[in-house]
Structures are given as C-alpha cells and as structure tokens.
C-alpha cells in the first residue's frame, strides 16, 4: 500500500467517558482512559446561571473554553465546551464561575492529527457552517430550558439527552459526537431540533 494511502487511513475517534449531573464545581477522579500523546479530553456542560464559566481545569491543565449564554430567560442558560491534554489516566475537572447544578459530559478524543481546528457557538439549537475534514471529528452540546421533550440531533450522534434541574428550574441537556468514520461535513448545521431559549456549541478536530 502506498505511504500516502496508509497515512490517510484512520482518524479522530471519540468516546463518551461519562454523563453526570454535578452539584458542585468539582468532579473528582474522573476517568480519562489510557494516556496517549494524541489524546484530548473534552468537557461539555450546561447550567442555569446569569454568568459564564470563568476557568476550567481538566486533570490540572487549564482548558480552552468555548461557550455561549442565552439571556432571554429570567435565569440564563449557559452552555459550553472545554478541551485540554492532561496527563495520566484520571483527574479532577473543576468548572469555576458556575455555582448552580450542571449537567456534564466528558469525552475522550484520540488520533486527531491537528487537534482542535475550529469552534462554533450560537444562541440557537444548532450551529451553522460546520466543516469537518477527512479524518476529523466533532464534539457538540446543545441545551434549552423548560423542556421534557427528547431531542433529535442533525449531523452528530447523540450521547446524552437528559432533563435536569438547575437554579431551581428545569432544563434539557443534549450532547453528541462525530468520529472520522461518520465522514466529512461541508458548511453543515449541527445541533438539535428546537427548544426554548437554546444554546449550542461545537469543537471540530482535524
């Protein structure tokens, strides 16, 4: 097999490690899986809070944050993602700035050649213009308030769809991913089919 063909085989693989409702700012001793030089840990969250997450550490490493907040409701919906490359097989996840209960999904991303190449966020149920190259992948989160209806994802595979209470109000949390085996995307929309005061964020790995 030619070298160029071998180099194109395989690509970004994404696994959901855990989905949990957290009452505090710290999730202790979360599993990160086998350590690898091309491993990334991505944390997705949603919370009813009138402020943004300020800093996030993943296994002691400062995470890069992508977030948005819908301030249309009396208690805002804050949704975001953070990604980092911690060492070791487990560690604490600390989300600062959000004191109310929150839903959190943790993802393990491996075999990404270039790491995160683009990010998206919107006060909407979907983000638009999303492109994923050959061998790439995606992690996304979309959340809305006062919802008991299960949601359906477009252009991503659902990993969690849960009703939860935050700040004394009901909300819905939806997370999803897309590995290299799902194929490329070109200027596509990624997200769920509606919701009240929604927010959506995504990160693409190359």
């Amino acid at each position: 097999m030619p070298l160029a063909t071998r180099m194109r085989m395989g690509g970004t693989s994404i696994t959901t490690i855990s989905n949990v409702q957290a009452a505090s700012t710290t999730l202790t001793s979360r599993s990160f899986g086998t350590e690898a030089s091309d491993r990334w840990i991505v944390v997705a969250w949603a919370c009813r809070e009138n402020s943004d997450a300020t800093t996030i550490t993943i296994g002691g490493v400062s995470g890069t944050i992508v977030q948005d907040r819908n301030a249309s409701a009396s208690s805002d919906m804050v949704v975001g993602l953070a990604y980092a490359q911690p060492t070791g097989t487990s560690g604490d996840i600390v989300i600062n700035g959000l004191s109310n209960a929150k839903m959190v999904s943790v993802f393990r991303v491996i075999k990404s050649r270039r790491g995160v190449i683009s990010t998206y966020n919107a006060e909407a149920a979907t983000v638009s213009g999303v492109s994923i190259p050959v061998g790439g992948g995606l992690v996304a989160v979309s959340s809305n308030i006062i919802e008991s209806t299960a949601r359906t994802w477009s252009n991503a595979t659902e990993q969690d769809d849960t009703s939860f209470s935050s700040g004394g109000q009901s909300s819905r949390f939806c997370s999803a991913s897309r590995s290299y085996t799902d194929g490329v995307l070109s200027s596509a929309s990624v997200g769920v089919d509606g919701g009240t005061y929604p927010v959506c964020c995504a990160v693409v790995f190359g």
Side-chain angles (χ1 to χ4, degrees):
M1 184 183 299
L3 176 61
T5 300
R6 293 202 305 269
M7 291 179 66
R8 287 196 298 270
M9 292 179 64
T12 303
S13 178
I14 300 173
T15 304
T16 305
I17 297 174
S18 63
N19 300 307
V20 62
Q21 180 164 353
S24 67
T25 59
T26 302
L27 284 73
T28 59
S29 301
R30 309 310 298 181
S31 173
F32 296 156
T34 304
E35 184 176 350
S37 60
D38 61 358
R39 184 194 68 183
W40 295 78
I41 301 300
V42 180
V43 178
W45 76 88
C47 181
R48 298 294 298 276
E49 193 93 38
N50 293 327
S51 60
D52 296 331
T54 52
T55 60
I56 295 180
T57 57
I58 303 171
V61 178
S62 180
T64 300
I65 297 174
V66 180
Q67 68 183 329
D68 212 325
R69 178 159 49 101
N70 195 322
S72 300
S74 57
S75 179
D76 300 355
M77 172 57 72
V78 184
V79 174
L81 297 157
Y83 54 93
Q85 286 189 290
T87 58
T89 59
S90 65
D92 294 347
I93 295 171
V94 182
I95 304 175
N96 294 309
L98 303 178
S99 58
N100 289 335
K102 59 194 73 65
M103 281 299 300
V104 180
S105 284
V106 183
F107 296 85
R108 179 175 184 261
V109 181
I110 60 172
K111 297 183 179 179
S112 170
R113 296 186 178 96
R114 293 186 285 162
V116 174
I117 60 172
S118 56
T119 64
Y120 304 84
N121 59 285
E123 291 182 32
T126 64
V127 288
S128 59
V130 178
S131 294
I132 302 176
V134 173
L138 167 144
V139 176
V141 57
S142 185
S143 193
N144 53 78
I145 70 171
I146 322 173
E147 289 288 337
S148 59
T149 303
R151 291 294 168 189
T152 301
W153 279 88
S154 296
N155 293 315
T157 301
E158 178 185 294
Q159 301 300 332
D160 193 24
D161 187 352
T162 304
S163 293
F164 72 106
S165 179
S166 178
Q169 302 184 62
S170 61
S171 305
R172 193 157 199 97
F173 174 81
C174 305
S175 62
S177 63
R178 184 183 177 98
S179 292
Y180 84 96
T181 51
D182 297 314
V184 302
L185 286 180
S186 179
S187 297
S189 293
V190 173
V192 301
D193 56 342
T196 304
Y197 302 128
V199 183
C200 185
C201 297
V203 292
V204 171
F205 287 82

